[in-house]
Amino acid sequence: MRKVLAFMVLLLFVAAPAFAQSRKISGRVVNEKGDPVSYATIKIKGSKSGVIADDGGNFTLVIKGSNISLVVSATDAETKEVPVGSEDKITITVKAKSNELAAVVVTALGIKREAKSLGYATAQVGAKDLSESQPVNAANGLTGKVSGLTVQLTSSGVNPDNLRITLRGNRSFLGNNQALIVVDGVPVDNTYLAQINPADIESVNVLKGATAAALYGSQASNGVLIVTTKAGRRGKASVNLTSTVTFDKVDFLPKMQYGYGSASTEYEDADAISYSNPNNFQNGFVPFENQSFGAPFSAGSPYGGDSVIVGTATQTGQIQKIPYTGQASQFRKFWNTGSTFQNGVSYSQGDDKGSFFLSAQNVNRSGIVPDDKYTRNSIRFNGSKIYGAFKATANVSYSASDVNTGDLADAYNNILNIAPLIPYTNYSNVNAGYGTINTFYNAYGLNPYLYLYNNRDNTKRNDIQGNLDLSLNVNSWLNLDYVIGVENFYITDQSTVGAFNYSPYALFMAYNTLAGNMSVYHGNTPPSVSNTNTTEQNFYSNFRINLHKTFGDFNTQLILGNVVNQQTVNEIGNNSSTLLNISNFYNVNYRQGTPGVIQYNSLNRNYGNFADFSVNYKNYIFLHASGRGDATSLLNASYRNYFYPGVDGAIVLSDMIAALKNSKTISFLKIRGALTKTGNINVSPYSVLNVFGSGSNFPYGSTAGLTTPTTSTTPNLSPEFTSSKEVGGDIGFLKGRVDLQASYFTEKTTNETVSVNVSDATGYQNATKNLGEMDNKGLELDLKLEPVRLSNGLRWDIAFHYTHYINKVVSLGGSSNSLQITNPNGSTSNSFAVVGKPYTALMLTDWQRDNAGQVIVNANTGYPTIGANLQYYGTTNPTQNLGINTSVSFKGFTLSAVAEYRGGNVIYNGNGPTLDVDGLSARTAQFAHTKFVYPNSVIMGPNGKYIPNPGIQIQDAGIGWWSLPQSMYMTSGAFWTLRNAALTYTIPTAVVAKLKYVQNITVSLVGSNLLILLPKGNVWTDPEFSTSTGNATGSNSLVNAPPTRTFGASLNVTF
Amino acid sequence: MKKEFIYITLLSASFFATGCAKHFLDVNTNPNSPSQADPALVLTYALTQTGATISSDYVYINGTQNYYGSSSNAATPGPITTNNFTSSDFSGSWADNYHNLNDYAYIAQQGAVTNKWFLVGIAKTMTALDFQMLVDTYNDVPYSQALQLDSGIINPTYDKAQDIYNSCINQLDSAVTIFENAPLIESYNPGSADVMFQGNVTLWIKFANAVKLRMLLHEINVTSQAATIQTEMQKIASDPVGLLGAGESALVNPGYATDIAAHLSPLWSTVGYSISGAANFIGAVANSYFINKLNGYNDPRVGYFYNTNSAGLIEGAALGGQGGNSSACYFGGPNNLENSNIIPFNDTLPNGASLPTNFGLLQSPTMSAIILSSWESLFLQAEAVQRGLLPGNAQTLYNQAITDNFVYLKVTFGPSNAYNASSAAYAQNYAAQSLANVGWSASAGNPLLAIITQKYISLCFTDPLESWTDYRRTGYPNDLPYTDNPERLYPYPFRFIYPQSEYNTNQTNVEAEGTISPVSPKIFWMP
């Protein structure tokens, strides 16, 4: 029967002229503003026939007989019934639903609920907003658009997987605090966001707290980003082409000095080699020196004239002479202009009975770091089909990315160890001239280009992600739904380091003179390689029974469900640092000595059963409750089952109270509240049983050995629990032209799973424990305004998204007051959890001070001493966040921009010490390298009391002085940034219409990170940068390239 | 039709939720690391680790003992230039010893369970050795409550150093008893898993006795221990197996190799060279006091402890001062003469010269790690005999000890083109000199000074801890200079500071030990 109907509908399209007695009418669906309403369904009342309007709101329909009414419905408009007269052309005006009333929000597990019914805050960011700046990673398009959401850009490399995404701050001391990413109903690994073609994304729904996410279970305690990819649009088939090119240029660099020559105060006359200047000891020019504590260039060359000799004589007796002057342009010249080309195509088609979407994209990128490259290719198929009460949806995508980068940290370190007179960009050829390992002038560092070319990392990643959703409407009140999804990725990583081959002459020079010391430290090193192959598979299954029934004024919905997750990780690797010395050949089979091998396998499973009940009274009082019981394989049997409940409610006062309902000023008013508890399993697989290790040195040939572990596990580990409370209200004025959402939340996380240090005398160094508590509070405000909306089409929108966080580490279980956070690569950080302080606390070394806080200097040397204890300087996470979005549109032009402010935090600039230590930074030249008295310092007086420094100068204003405590590199983390701006022009329909086949052409100019304003003290780098995307935020380092500005253009054509 | 579908679906869902779940979650068995271990495999690791600890963790004490000095260009390695030891200095020795002890505790426990009594004997002996090192550096340490995290003791209390010493001496007794119980020992032999003595029980008995002798002599100044010392010495004297003699050094070698950096012999990589041949321990140079002392004794070993510079000279610097050679490593070994750094570029060796191989302090990258050298055992015996605590001839033992060290270093060439085909012969000539603290007869005025002075020379870089202990208990060598550094707060350090990790994790117990400085409280056996 239904098939017949489908056939009939089809006939209506293709065979309309066959019905001679009928008549054809054409029409257009518009909203109150006169704008077309796309894809509205137009049905003939009392009949089952109907059509769908195109995206311009146009439709044609064949009708028969008289007294006919059309029923027009569209997702964002109220349904309307229109009688048809004798006219052939009609315009149907429908009333747009106000945002608050209309929006349907995808909540946990893909359950669609009306926004007004929710007892908690959510937000949705649509495709247009996401892709405004044409980012390679769609998450860049979220920044500044939602309160409570922090998207931190941790570095400026070619790899788009550089974002840390948190919702409402941090909860876990050592566990993951990043939001759960769910793509088309299936949880995926955080890193997957960087693999998705942003143009495939229809919308991102942000479920901010554990409140909204209780139903995703353990993984969702940090909030959820629900990514929904595009489905084929109803209406006629369309093809969309998008082409974008953007360029990255270094925005700003640390401030350097270009006024002083290379010299060190470390040399004695006896050490100076023949052609250095023996008569000027303190500022004597040393040709192979990396320090720049010398005399000003203005004082003239120590050799006389205007040039100097640098480096030592080569084996063939050549001597390098260069002008004696600062090379201020070198630092900027070193960095390339990065470029990104994105080309995408998609095909979309759909009707009442199904949809079809196909897309492909290629990204090709080169970085600001010479030779850094990134490519990504992705394809996607999304399709759905409806057979009567049954609907099947399948989405599948494949992407392959390739990140190829050089060793920036070492290269950057060496740039900061080159005297300012050296024209180092001339040494980009490391195989000839003065750029080779044997001829490079610097005795204490290698040519920075050598590190980029010689030490490389190549990560290739393939992702297949797919899901199948089967849904059956059994009857009007029962629906069954089953989702099964798989995310599979395969990463091949190869790191290679080429050989360091010094000539015998260079080695001789190194051992027998002071020049060429680098080879003493480095030695001849054979090539090395490290290969790692990782596969990860995340399997997800979710079965749901949805029951829906109306009892009088009460609408009820009950969902019963079961969720199963399984994660499998397999890692195989090998490495050798003694490969055979063959140029550009890195295969572990060709080596001396023994290779290293890695094998890691893990499997973990979880399942949960849940019930979710919601009821509303007259569609203005809403109550919702959920409960979930989980079981996990990660914990021992007696601790693996846990339960967590949640409840929330909302009252839409503007619908309930008559006075408000008819108010002209207040268009919408709602109050809401929620209470939830969520469990979070923060242990990796196999963490509940002690195992033996084999140390890094075993086996020695055929001799094997095992050792007891240094970390003691605890068999009775249990989940971390977060209890959250949230209250809020939404108010709209003037028909939605002013719209304010406010939320206040508190979260308490207890039972934190922590690896604590224990006394070595226990035989262990760490033990895993459940202890501690962290509290979060926060205020979120979202204010949307539409100050200008004129009949001539001029429209101005502006929105403010503000968040204030208050976070505190309440307890660390009493055994200790602080806990150091480790970076994902295992290195220690400057970030700590400290009792009574916000998380994470920046703890740094400082000068030794007396009780009054004055710096104590040594009465003989004038130097202060770096104190042994770390001091607290503030939190590394911004406590104040403001995003401002605005757009102005007029006659096809739209100018939009996003600005952001973050502040209230402090950061440690890890590149600072490297800049200072050799006298390269601008501040080292502040006092022209002269000795000085440390301001406001004290010395130990004769009676054991501190007295003001009577004028004892620091001994050496050179390298001896510039080893400062970390606190001297601490600055406020505040910034204002013009995050994105775009000017878009849509060519008028009238013009486009003349082009056959073309439906729409949009061109835009785009830019990102165009401007940044920093507090005066921060001369180093972008305060957002961090060593990794892990919890230890707030410390950058030389792995971070300088911040960049991105600008470019984009063309979008729809056929 | 529809209803059936619902039932089937519901049924399968409930099965998923409950039925198959029983074993569905039992997948937490670790496929990456074993939860069971053969105690013999743990023994191999533990002995290797003890070797690494002795070779590397105390290396800066070589500075305190004037075995190295301060370079003029790079910073001197270690905290020894000022003696202002802090809680971060030597913390590796604390952590490594306790982790090592945890391995021995496992071996002892599993050895008893599986009736592998040889392993129990070894574990007891090595436990005593590790605690001897801990007590000699930290005095009071956790002992009776240590290594019991599995029983819930997370904050072990500190035991009195004297009690630990006594208990360890008992452990050594009990180890010897096990080793000498033939049926127990013959039922199981660790063989090559014992990377120290390859399952040679005689050598284990000698070693256990030597460790005991060492501990008894350490506490020689403690009058309340006099009776114990007498009793225990008699036990050693009456043991027919006796003590480690010439050539019987306790050496560990699991198969040190040059295939990867982690397989290098620990002393080689700590003070010698990395896998690529680049120098390590940069900033340390030969020590001028030690050079002068050896030159004053016409001691050829100076060229076996130290390298020569490009001019072919052994140049030294004082500790804490500045001067001497500016470049990297200056410790003797094959690289001494073969390395390009001392052969002028493009020069060749003098005509007809041939170089011995594997001589000196850094003999090869695969050389064994010394746990307790035979020359130290002989010097200990000489001292015990000299003090009348053991029977025997002190002079013979003294000469044997010197000879043993010459043999180990393969001394053949010496100053002024001196040459002896046999190291033993060279040693005998050397010890025959009529020089106080060299020749026995010439040292008649204070034979103990001669014993400790010669022991001091022989322990250069092979056992700085014992050298430090000897100075702290006897004050010999009596002309040992203290660091020149003006910033030093103490002339000479007597002990380590408890590591910061203890103050962080075991605060109450470590603070019960009071204020700790590098000179106070002294180790219990110090005068």
Side-chain angles (χ1 to χ4, degrees):
Chain A
M1 169 62 206
R2 302 236 159 154
K3 270 188 185 165
V4 176
L5 181 73
F7 181 63
M8 299 268 289
V9 174
L10 206 67
L11 279 184
L12 277 176
F13 283 106
V14 294
F19 297 84
Q21 68 274 45
S22 312
R23 106 188 134 90
K24 187 172 140 186
I25 59 165
S26 62
R28 188 157 185 254
V29 185
V30 297
N31 64 19
E32 293 156 301
K33 290 182 230 167
D35 297 335
V37 174
S38 308
Y39 311 119
T41 305
I42 300 102
K43 281 188 171 177
I44 299 166
K45 198 183 178 188
S47 139
K48 288 195 170 169
S49 46
V51 293
I52 295 157
D54 66 12
D55 64 345
N58 302 307
F59 67 94
T60 54
L61 183 63
V62 177
I63 55 172
K64 211 164 61 169
S66 55
N67 285 336
I68 288 174
S69 287
L70 298 179
V71 180
V72 182
S73 56
T75 41
D76 43 4
E78 289 174 16
T79 303
K80 189 174 182 182
E81 200 176 309
V82 203
V84 184
S86 57
E87 67 270 39
D88 289 341
K89 280 196 168 185
I90 55 171
T91 299
I92 302 167
T93 306
V94 292
K95 194 177 164 191
K97 287 184 196 169
S98 70
N99 277 340
E100 304 82 6
L101 293 168
V104 171
V105 176
V106 181
T107 63
L109 297 174
I111 299 165
K112 287 181 181 137
R113 298 177 64 194
E114 277 185 284
K116 72 172 181 180
S117 75
L118 299 177
Y120 46 81
T122 65
Q124 179 168 327
V125 181
K128 193 171 144 280
D129 284 337
L130 281 173
S131 59
E132 207 162 54
S133 60
Q134 303 294 339
V136 176
N137 182 343
N140 283 307
L142 291 170
T143 186
K145 295 193 172 99
V146 178
S147 66
L149 169 70
T150 307
V151 179
Q152 186 188 347
L153 181 73
T154 61
S155 78
S156 62
V158 287
N159 189 350
D161 185 13
N162 56 1
L163 303 175
R164 175 176 168 81
I165 303 170
T166 51
L167 284 162
R168 293 186 171 169
N170 299 283
R171 276 149 293 273
S172 182
F173 293 149
L174 301 180
N176 177 35
N177 281 305
Q178 293 204 64
L180 173 70
I181 312 295
V182 173
V183 176
D184 293 328
V186 179
V188 295
D189 193 89
N190 268 75
T191 55
Y192 182 61
L193 267 181
Q195 301 293 112
I196 306 179
N197 173 2
D200 286 352
I201 297 175
E202 176 69 38
S203 69
V204 176
N205 278 76
V206 183
L207 308 186
K208 291 179 187 177
T211 313
L215 286 181
Y216 278 109
S218 182
Q219 295 169 286
S221 55
N222 298 314
V224 186
L225 297 184
I226 298 178
V227 177
T228 308
T229 60
K230 285 178 178 162
R233 277 200 177 263
R234 289 194 287 177
K236 74 173 189 184
S238 67
V239 174
N240 185 284
L241 294 176
T242 311
S243 193
T244 303
V245 56
T246 55
F247 299 97
D248 299 319
K249 272 197 100 77
V250 167
D251 183 358
F252 68 95
L253 292 161
K255 289 198 174 69
M256 308 285 267
Q257 64 91 358
Y258 296 98
Y260 293 86
S262 48
S264 168
T265 50
E266 286 181 311
Y267 286 94
E268 294 175 22
D269 303 283
D271 292 327
I273 68 168
S274 56
Y275 48 74
S276 77
N277 183 350
N279 300 323
N280 188 4
F281 165 57
Q282 180 69 26
N283 289 322
F285 180 82
V286 180
F288 49 79
E289 182 55 63
N290 61 336
Q291 295 175 35
S292 307
F293 295 109
F297 293 121
S298 54
S301 165
Y303 297 94
D306 51 11
S307 68
V308 283
I309 292 164
V310 291
T312 52
T314 67
Q315 194 169 359
T316 51
Q318 287 160 306
I319 289 170
Q320 185 181 187
K321 276 183 121 179
I322 58 168
Y324 192 67
T325 178
Q327 299 278 355
S329 63
Q330 293 290 306
F331 197 14
R332 198 166 274 273
K333 200 174 156 191
F334 181 83
W335 310 97
N336 287 348
T337 297
S339 62
T340 305
F341 295 89
Q342 299 182 74
N343 289 299
V345 57
S346 67
Y347 174 83
S348 166
Q349 189 185 14
D351 58 32
D352 264 358
K353 299 293 163 197
S355 67
F356 182 87
F357 178 81
L358 198 61
S359 82
Q361 191 203 26
N362 167 267
V363 179
N364 221 319
R365 195 173 208 189
S366 69
I368 58 165
V369 178
D371 264 22
D372 276 11
K373 284 183 180 62
Y374 173 82
T375 58
R376 185 180 71 199
N377 291 295
S378 57
I379 52 172
R380 167 176 293 277
F381 165 76
N382 289 354
S384 69
K385 191 72 191 164
I386 297 171
Y387 295 102
F390 179 70
K391 183 181 182 188
T393 309
N395 299 337
V396 58
S397 81
Y398 169 77
S399 59
S401 68
D402 186 327
V403 189
N404 194 327
T405 53
D407 176 4
L408 174 65
D410 275 317
Y412 203 172
N413 179 42
N414 279 282
I415 290 173
L416 301 182
N417 271 293
I418 291 180
L421 76 164
I422 304 294
Y424 55 87
T425 57
N426 293 354
Y427 307 136
S428 60
N429 184 347
V430 299
N431 298 315
Y434 293 108
T436 75
I437 197 166
N438 297 315
T439 53
F440 190 61
Y441 94 99
N442 189 345
Y444 307 98
L446 298 177
N447 185 346
Y449 290 98
L450 184 70
Y451 281 107
L452 292 182
Y453 302 150
N454 210 45
N455 303 13
R456 298 204 64 82
D457 186 79
N458 185 203
T459 306
K460 293 187 168 86
R461 173 172 167 149
N462 292 275
D463 284 71
I464 296 175
Q465 196 266 330
N467 63 287
L468 180 66
D469 183 350
L470 306 173
S471 167
L472 177 70
N473 290 317
V474 179
N475 55 35
S476 65
W477 52 267
L478 174 63
N479 164 272
L480 303 176
D481 189 73
Y482 184 66
V483 175
I484 182 164
V486 178
E487 183 207 12
N488 231 321
F489 61 84
Y490 181 65
I491 298 174
T492 311
D493 181 76
Q494 185 175 69
S495 294
T496 55
V497 179
F500 291 93
N501 289 325
Y502 292 93
S503 68
Y505 173 79
L507 285 172
F508 170 76
M509 290 296 282
Y511 279 95
N512 288 278
T513 71
L514 294 166
N517 257 351
M518 199 56 206
S519 54
V520 179
Y521 300 119
H522 223 292
N524 275 343
T525 316
S528 64
V529 68
S530 173
N531 295 299
T532 320
N533 288 358
T534 313
T535 56
E536 182 173 327
Q537 187 189 65
N538 293 301
F539 168 85
Y540 174 82
S541 141
N542 169 16
F543 176 73
R544 244 172 33 222
I545 303 165
N546 304 301
L547 300 147
H548 184 92
K549 195 88 181 166
T550 304
F551 303 97
D553 286 333
F554 291 93
N555 252 305
T556 61
Q557 187 180 28
L558 175 66
I559 302 166
L560 301 170
N562 167 265
V563 174
V564 180
N565 297 77
Q566 173 178 298
Q567 183 182 54
T568 317
V569 178
N570 293 305
E571 194 179 317
I572 293 283
N574 59 45
N575 56 71
S576 167
S577 50
T578 48
L579 292 181
L580 296 185
N581 197 347
I582 305 166
S583 176
N584 282 318
F585 185 77
Y586 302 98
N587 188 310
V588 77
N589 289 323
Y590 298 88
R591 59 161 203 279
Q592 298 172 305
T594 311
V597 289
I598 300 163
Q599 181 189 346
Y600 174 84
N601 308 97
S602 79
L603 169 68
N604 71 84
R605 291 175 176 153
N606 302 276
Y607 68 80
N609 293 310
F610 64 89
D612 180 279
F613 177 71
S614 47
V615 56
N616 77 60
Y617 174 71
K618 286 191 172 173
N619 224 21
Y620 57 68
I621 297 177
F622 301 87
L623 196 67
H624 167 241
S626 65
R628 172 163 166 149
D630 265 15
T632 175
S633 71
L634 295 167
L635 303 176
N636 276 333
S638 2
Y639 304 92
R640 66 165 60 137
N641 294 294
Y642 54 105
F643 177 80
Y644 40 94
V647 60
D648 64 81
I651 302 172
V652 181
L653 296 169
S654 53
D655 285 357
M656 187 168 87
I657 300 166
L660 284 170
K661 206 168 182 175
N662 302 322
S663 162
K664 291 248 156 95
T665 26
I666 294 177
S667 49
F668 184 76
L669 179 63
K670 168 179 147 184
I671 54 170
R672 54 186 159 83
L675 274 174
T676 320
K677 183 180 170 190
T678 339
N680 180 21
I681 310 281
N682 173 23
V683 297
S684 38
Y686 321 121
S687 301
V688 288
L689 182 65
N690 277 347
V691 290
F692 289 82
S694 74
S696 61
N697 45 346
F698 272 87
Y700 288 84
S702 57
T703 309
L706 288 176
T707 182
T708 54
T710 52
T711 294
S712 168
T713 57
T714 307
N716 58 353
L717 284 181
S718 56
E720 300 179 351
F721 283 104
T722 303
S723 315
S724 19
K725 293 177 196 157
E726 175 178 344
V727 290
D730 307 341
I731 184 163
F733 298 97
L734 307 169
K735 291 186 179 170
R737 289 183 68 169
V738 178
D739 179 17
L740 175 69
Q741 278 197 20
S743 306
Y744 173 77
F745 66 86
T746 64
E747 286 178 345
K748 182 192 287 287
T749 305
T750 53
N751 217 24
E752 297 259 3
T753 310
V754 170
S755 171
V756 291
N757 295 324
V758 294
S759 165
D760 296 306
T762 61
Y764 297 89
Q765 286 159 15
N766 310 286
T768 318
K769 297 269 169 213
N770 280 126
L771 49 82
E773 179 186 328
M774 172 144 64
D775 285 4
N776 273 306
K777 282 184 270 188
L779 176 69
E780 295 165 351
L781 298 172
D782 294 275
L783 174 64
K784 292 177 191 168
L785 302 171
E786 203 185 305
V788 177
R789 186 166 78 196
L790 301 178
S791 54
N792 63 8
L794 178 66
R795 181 172 167 169
W796 176 35
D797 290 277
I798 184 161
F800 300 87
H801 305 284
Y802 170 77
T803 321
H804 176 50
Y805 296 108
I806 302 165
N807 167 288
K808 190 170 154 186
V809 174
V810 178
S811 148
L812 282 169
S815 66
S816 140
N817 278 327
S818 79
L819 180 70
Q820 192 166 16
I821 316 296
T822 321
N823 289 314
N825 67 3
S827 61
T828 56
S829 76
N830 303 314
S831 294
F832 288 72
V834 179
V835 173
K837 302 281 190 273
Y839 178 93
T840 65
L842 189 68
M843 301 288 286
L844 303 173
T845 56
D846 188 24
W847 296 124
Q848 266 178 9
R849 294 171 189 273
D850 66 3
N851 290 335
Q854 286 180 301
V855 173
I856 303 164
V857 302
N858 184 303
N860 296 320
T861 62
Y863 285 143
T865 313
I866 295 175
N869 295 328
L870 298 176
Q871 306 293 324
Y872 169 73
Y873 287 93
T875 177
T876 61
N877 293 312
T879 58
Q880 310 277 354
N881 296 252
L882 177 63
I884 304 174
N885 306 187
T886 185
S887 84
V888 179
S889 47
F890 183 65
K891 292 198 169 164
F893 283 97
T894 304
L895 177 65
S896 57
V898 177
E900 272 193 278
Y901 168 81
R902 290 183 204 165
N905 60 324
V906 290
I907 54 160
Y908 169 70
N909 293 284
N911 57 7
T914 319
L915 276 156
D916 281 354
V917 71
D918 291 331
L920 271 286
S921 70
R923 76 174 184 183
T924 57
Q926 240 174 331
F927 306 112
H929 308 149
T930 51
K931 300 178 180 187
F932 61 93
V933 178
Y934 195 94
N936 299 320
S937 56
V938 293
I939 62 164
M940 176 63 81
N943 55 358
K945 283 189 175 158
Y946 292 112
I947 56 165
N949 183 350
I952 298 156
Q953 291 188 323
I954 59 160
Q955 236 175 16
D956 165 18
I959 193 164
W961 164 248
W962 287 105
S963 296
L964 309 179
Q966 292 171 314
S967 60
M968 304 293 276
Y969 302 97
M970 188 277 300
T971 60
S972 154
F975 65 89
W976 267 106
T977 176
L978 178 54
R979 185 69 75 186
N980 297 320
L983 176 64
T984 306
Y985 178 62
T986 306
I987 294 176
T989 326
V991 177
V992 173
K994 287 177 189 160
L995 299 164
K996 248 186 182 177
Y997 308 118
V998 178
Q999 289 182 30
N1000 185 304
I1001 301 176
T1002 305
V1003 289
S1004 46
L1005 297 173
V1006 296
S1008 303
N1009 302 318
L1010 293 170
L1011 252 175
I1012 187 164
L1013 299 176
L1014 297 174
K1016 227 180 182 179
N1018 187 353
V1019 295
W1020 288 286
T1021 191
D1022 189 327
E1024 258 193 292
F1025 285 179
S1026 184
T1027 313
S1028 76
T1029 56
N1031 289 337
T1033 54
S1035 290
N1036 56 57
S1037 71
L1038 295 175
V1039 304
N1040 299 112
T1044 54
R1045 218 176 246 169
T1046 305
F1047 51 89
S1050 181
L1051 171 70
N1052 186 314
V1053 184
T1054 309
F1055 299 95
Chain B
M1 158 69 195
K2 264 185 191 169
K3 273 187 179 160
E4 271 170 14
F5 182 76
I6 299 168
Y7 293 140
I8 292 168
T9 317
L10 286 177
L11 214 67
S12 60
S14 62
F15 171 76
F16 227 139
T18 55
C20 71
K22 235 175 191 170
H23 300 292
F24 183 69
L25 297 179
D26 292 332
V27 292
N28 213 23
T29 309
N30 196 326
N32 303 309
S33 307
S35 55
Q36 305 281 322
D38 178 350
L41 284 176
V42 181
L43 176 70
T44 308
Y45 185 97
L47 288 173
T48 306
Q49 177 61 40
T50 309
T53 300
I54 294 171
S55 300
S56 313
D57 289 357
Y58 300 108
V59 72
Y60 302 140
I61 293 298
N62 286 299
T64 309
Q65 291 307 101
N66 280 269
Y67 294 137
Y68 70 82
S70 300
S71 152
S72 60
N73 273 336
T76 316
I80 42 78
T81 59
T82 61
N83 292 331
N84 303 340
F85 292 175
T86 69
S87 57
S88 56
D89 296 318
F90 303 102
S91 58
S93 75
W94 174 276
D96 289 346
N97 270 317
Y98 272 110
H99 180 70
N100 198 214
L101 283 162
N102 204 40
D103 280 352
Y104 289 124
Y106 176 81
I107 296 163
Q109 181 248 329
Q110 281 293 303
V113 169
T114 56
N115 279 318
K116 295 175 175 172
W117 289 96
F118 204 128
L119 297 180
V120 180
I122 294 177
K124 282 175 176 285
T125 310
M126 298 307 289
T127 300
L129 176 75
D130 281 0
F131 274 113
Q132 171 250 311
M133 294 193 286
L134 282 167
V135 169
D136 289 356
T137 48
Y138 291 100
N139 202 39
D140 294 353
V141 296
Y143 178 77
S144 54
Q145 292 194 354
L147 315 173
Q148 292 177 54
L149 187 62
D150 298 341
S151 324
I153 300 181
I154 197 162
N155 293 309
T157 54
Y158 282 56
D159 290 270
K160 286 277 155 248
Q162 178 72 73
D163 297 345
I164 301 169
Y165 245 60
N166 287 342
S167 174
C168 284
I169 286 165
N170 288 339
Q171 290 238 36
L172 290 166
D173 265 0
S174 129
V176 171
T177 310
I178 292 169
F179 287 137
E180 292 181 345
N181 182 331
L184 276 190
I185 287 304
E186 280 160 15
S187 68
Y188 171 82
N189 190 303
S192 60
D194 167 10
V195 288
M196 194 150 103
F197 292 131
Q198 286 71 41
N200 182 333
V201 75
T202 309
L203 287 173
W204 272 109
I205 295 166
K206 289 184 173 186
F207 175 70
N209 281 332
V211 175
K212 192 201 270 183
L213 175 61
R214 181 199 258 184
M215 293 177 79
L216 295 172
L217 287 175
H218 285 185
E219 59 178 1
I220 195 76
N221 297 316
V222 183
T223 45
S224 62
Q225 285 295 98
T228 313
I229 293 170
Q230 283 287 349
T231 319
E232 294 297 327
M233 286 287 186
Q234 268 158 25
K235 278 192 209 165
I236 295 171
S238 61
D239 188 334
V241 182
L243 293 139
L244 293 174
E248 292 180 332
S249 288
L251 304 172
V252 155
N253 198 330
Y256 295 125
T258 54
D259 56 346
I260 57 170
H263 286 173
L264 292 175
S265 176
L267 186 64
W268 176 276
S269 60
T270 306
V271 303
Y273 304 88
S274 74
I275 187 94
S276 66
N280 286 338
F281 219 55
I282 289 162
V285 293
N287 183 286
S288 47
Y289 159 79
F290 198 63
I291 292 172
N292 292 339
K293 187 161 202 77
L294 268 62
N295 286 343
Y297 293 156
N298 302 314
D299 195 324
R301 286 176 291 180
V302 69
Y304 294 77
F305 292 132
Y306 293 141
N307 216 331
T308 48
N309 67 9
S310 53
L313 301 169
I314 293 171
E315 273 185 348
L319 182 64
Q322 292 267 295
N325 296 294
S326 56
S327 208
C329 163
Y330 280 88
F331 300 100
N335 284 11
N336 187 350
L337 299 177
E338 289 169 356
N339 197 308
S340 65
N341 62 351
I342 59 142
I343 304 166
F345 185 62
N346 284 342
D347 262 11
T348 48
L349 283 171
N351 253 352
S354 74
L355 296 167
T357 53
N358 296 359
F359 66 92
L361 184 63
L362 296 177
Q363 306 204 341
S364 91
T366 62
M367 64 195 253
S368 300
I370 298 175
I371 303 278
L372 200 163
S373 62
S374 48
W375 56 92
E376 183 186 328
S377 172
L378 290 163
F379 278 121
L380 288 168
Q381 293 172 53
E383 182 185 346
V385 172
Q386 180 61 35
R387 289 183 189 273
L389 295 164
L390 284 179
N393 183 320
Q395 180 182 1
T396 310
L397 288 162
Y398 171 82
N399 285 334
Q400 274 181 359
I402 294 172
T403 304
D404 204 39
N405 187 237
F406 271 64
V407 170
Y408 175 79
L409 295 169
K410 298 189 183 162
V411 177
T412 47
F413 290 94
S416 318
N417 294 325
Y419 175 74
N420 283 274
S422 124
S423 302
Y426 206 144
Q428 276 146 27
N429 293 340
Y430 166 75
Q433 294 183 90
S434 181
L435 277 170
N437 301 327
V438 181
W440 183 259
S441 316
S443 313
N446 189 349
L448 211 54
L449 175 60
I451 293 170
I452 302 295
T453 303
Q454 281 299 322
K455 187 181 176 191
Y456 163 76
I457 293 170
S458 75
L459 295 181
C460 174
F461 273 91
T462 55
D463 196 346
L465 185 53
E466 180 68 8
S467 171
W468 185 37
T469 297
D470 285 344
Y471 186 78
R472 287 179 294 167
R473 69 186 173 93
T474 64
Y476 299 154
N478 50 10
D479 58 350
L480 189 77
Y482 303 145
T483 173
D484 278 354
N485 193 312
E487 286 179 39
R488 78 174 195 206
L489 298 177
Y490 314 98
Y492 191 79
F494 296 149
R495 58 166 296 146
F496 294 168
I497 312 295
Y498 293 116
Q500 187 60 40
S501 61
E502 277 299 285
Y503 289 92
N504 294 344
T505 60
N506 198 14
Q507 195 178 0
T508 316
N509 291 322
V510 70
E511 283 181 352
E513 294 298 313
T515 308
I516 312 292
S517 80
V519 292
S520 163
K522 291 178 181 175
I523 308 300
F524 81 96
W525 41 248
M526 278 183 71

